[in-house]
Amino acid sequence: TVSYTFPEILKNNDTNENEEAENILKKIEMESGSVPERLKILSKYSVDLLKEHLRERNELIMNPLKLEKRYVFLIAYSVSSSIHDFECEKVYLNQYFKNGGNFKELLDAVSIVRFISGNIAFVNGIEILKKWEKIHQNKERWKKLNRKISCKFFIFNAIHC
């Protein structure tokens, strides 16, 4: 992984780098059919960051160790779907079918993503309910404590007035 400082990220004003970025984007478009907008934006700022992103993509997605490519693209599609990344969904779905994917497997993947996404909401909802319950219990404790304090204050004032 390459680390960059902010000025290095904004350095892409060199014509050679712009041409290199354009060539990289054309290659991506030929391979996958389209280029996500964020890669176009990234290429304007830093060719090095674009190359690093593509290196990781190539290692993880384009060269799987055991999985068939279609399943790698199906997983990538599913993750993109779960995070609502519509551009990547389109690219990965297209690649999935180009690599021998079928509709039944896609339906399974979509069902799993829907379950996992729903499960995330369910788990987060439970945590929110637990926190709400603690807050509510603390409010009830505060009300009881406040009543005791009010009663003692009333008795104190009644005796001393």
Side-chain angles (χ1 to χ4, degrees):
T1 307
V2 181
S3 63
Y4 295 90
T5 62
F6 190 72
E8 289 174 322
I9 291 174
L10 300 178
K11 72 177 167 78
N12 192 16
N13 295 324
D14 185 6
T15 305
N16 292 333
E17 285 191 355
N18 289 336
E19 287 178 22
E20 185 178 8
E22 286 178 29
N23 290 334
I24 291 170
L25 295 176
K26 284 178 187 176
K27 183 179 176 187
I28 293 169
E29 188 166 14
M30 285 177 27
E31 289 174 357
S32 63
S34 66
V35 179
E37 188 65 27
R38 81 179 123 303
L39 291 184
K40 292 176 184 176
I41 293 168
L42 180 61
S43 73
K44 292 178 184 178
Y45 293 103
S46 175
V47 174
D48 290 332
L49 283 175
L50 177 64
K51 287 178 184 177
E52 178 65 14
H53 173 76
L54 296 175
R55 183 192 64 74
E56 289 177 350
R57 180 199 73 155
N58 288 340
E59 284 179 11
L60 299 172
I61 294 177
M62 304 308 262
N63 299 312
L65 298 175
K66 294 281 185 181
L67 287 175
E68 293 178 34
K69 269 192 174 182
R70 74 177 184 196
Y71 294 121
V72 173
F73 288 118
L74 183 59
I75 293 166
Y77 165 77
S78 299
V79 170
S80 298
S81 175
S82 73
I83 62 172
H84 305 285
D85 185 343
F86 302 116
E87 287 183 291
C88 285
E89 276 184 67
K90 182 179 173 183
V91 169
Y92 291 134
L93 187 59
N94 186 28
Q95 289 298 313
Y96 168 68
F97 284 118
K98 280 185 179 179
N99 282 278
N102 63 63
F103 191 68
K104 287 184 178 182
E105 289 175 343
L106 177 63
L107 288 178
D108 283 345
V110 169
S111 296
I112 292 167
V113 167
R114 190 175 57 225
F115 170 75
I116 291 171
S117 297
N119 202 31
I120 290 168
F122 175 69
V123 169
N124 289 338
I126 297 261
E127 290 303 313
I128 291 168
L129 288 173
K130 285 179 183 176
K131 288 177 184 176
W132 181 83
E133 184 178 40
K134 285 181 182 178
I135 290 169
H136 185 71
Q137 287 173 351
N138 287 337
K139 282 183 181 178
E140 289 301 316
R141 287 184 193 140
W142 177 252
K143 284 180 185 176
K144 288 178 185 175
L145 181 63
N146 198 16
R147 277 189 225 121
K148 287 180 183 177
I149 292 171
S150 295
C151 288
K152 288 180 181 177
F153 182 74
F154 177 76
I155 293 168
F156 177 81
N157 282 334
I159 294 172
H160 289 56
C161 287

